[in-house]
Amino acid sequence: MTTPPSRNASLVGVGRAATGVTMVAVLAYAYALRIAAEDGNPFDFCGYFTNQTSLATALVLIAAGVLSLAGRRAPGWFSVTRGIVTGYLLVVALVYNVLVPGTGSAPPWVSILLHIVFPAVVALDWLLIGDRPPLPWRHLWTLLPHPILWLTVVLIRGATDGWVPYGFLLVERGIPSLFAHVVGILAVIVASGALVWLASRARGIVLRRKRE
């Protein structure tokens, strides 16, 4: 359904689209640095959960911004997709700040944007802007297919060419440790998703959803 966007909806749309475009540019810059350092393998760069999740979230934000500017209501599947990537970014922030603190090969400001600022902005957008419906609990499982596929590919690569994006996924640290980290990551993803699903029931402050 298309309706003329309100002033608040237009501001939200511009903010979302601008944030998404900015993060795509940051990721492109980070990848350009890898190429300059002769380490530009795209499979390695995209093998980091942070990079692929941030890119996906940025593209979703751009699409959400366009929908807001066009005065169109987001379809249900799109709201679930937004919830999924929001949950993933919460995990990115948690894992980075708890398990793998540090900047790695990226400049410090890039790491801060990707692991702290961007997740915080996306989480606040989800919590405070009420233009999303309550997400059905029966769709919570949709959080799992992507990280399971990602972990499968990473573990296969670790066993074949020895490359893993994060040290805690190294088989050399022992199968019990690897198993605990894999199960722990999946559990944290579900828990983060549950928080996002729960927050979708809040009416928000901007573009407040009408009481059902």
Side-chain angles (χ1 to χ4, degrees):
M1 184 176 70
T2 303
T3 58
S6 66
R7 181 173 181 274
N8 283 342
S10 296
L11 290 174
V12 167
V14 170
R16 285 173 173 167
T19 300
V21 170
T22 298
M23 295 314 300
V24 170
V26 169
L27 288 165
Y29 174 76
Y31 183 54
L33 291 180
R34 295 284 294 268
I35 294 176
E38 300 183 350
D39 186 24
N41 186 328
F43 296 103
D44 290 355
F45 184 78
C46 293
Y48 287 90
F49 194 71
T50 295
N51 293 341
Q52 57 183 252
T53 299
S54 296
L55 178 59
T57 306
L59 295 177
V60 168
L61 270 186
I62 293 170
V66 171
L67 287 173
S68 295
L69 289 170
R72 299 189 61 181
R73 181 178 299 174
W77 65 265
F78 184 78
S79 296
V80 171
T81 301
R82 274 190 63 209
I84 290 172
V85 296
T86 300
Y88 289 167
L89 276 195
L90 293 180
V91 176
V92 165
L94 179 65
V95 170
Y96 174 79
N97 290 286
V98 175
L99 288 181
V100 287
T103 61
S105 59
W109 67 269
V110 171
S111 289
I112 290 172
L113 280 178
L114 292 177
H115 299 101
I116 300 174
V117 176
F118 192 38
V121 169
V122 171
L124 289 173
D125 177 294
W126 184 262
L127 181 64
L128 301 180
I129 301 176
D131 63 339
R132 68 282 182 276
L135 300 184
W137 288 106
R138 68 179 181 276
H139 291 156
L140 186 62
W141 68 270
T142 56
L143 287 151
L144 289 174
H146 176 72
I148 289 175
L149 177 61
W150 171 73
L151 283 167
T152 300
V153 172
V154 165
L155 293 177
I156 290 174
R157 286 204 60 188
T160 54
D161 63 15
W163 186 91
V164 294
Y166 308 109
F168 56 81
L169 293 175
L170 286 169
V171 178
E172 289 83 353
R173 296 194 174 186
I175 297 300
S177 173
L178 178 61
F179 180 79
H181 279 96
V182 167
V183 172
I185 288 172
L186 294 178
V188 169
I189 287 173
V190 173
S192 297
L195 286 176
V196 172
W197 256 242
L198 184 63
S200 73
R201 280 139 180 84
R203 294 176 61 205
I205 296 176
V206 181
L207 305 180
R208 299 191 75 187
R209 187 176 64 246
K210 295 179 180 179
R211 293 187 183 275
E212 287 84 3

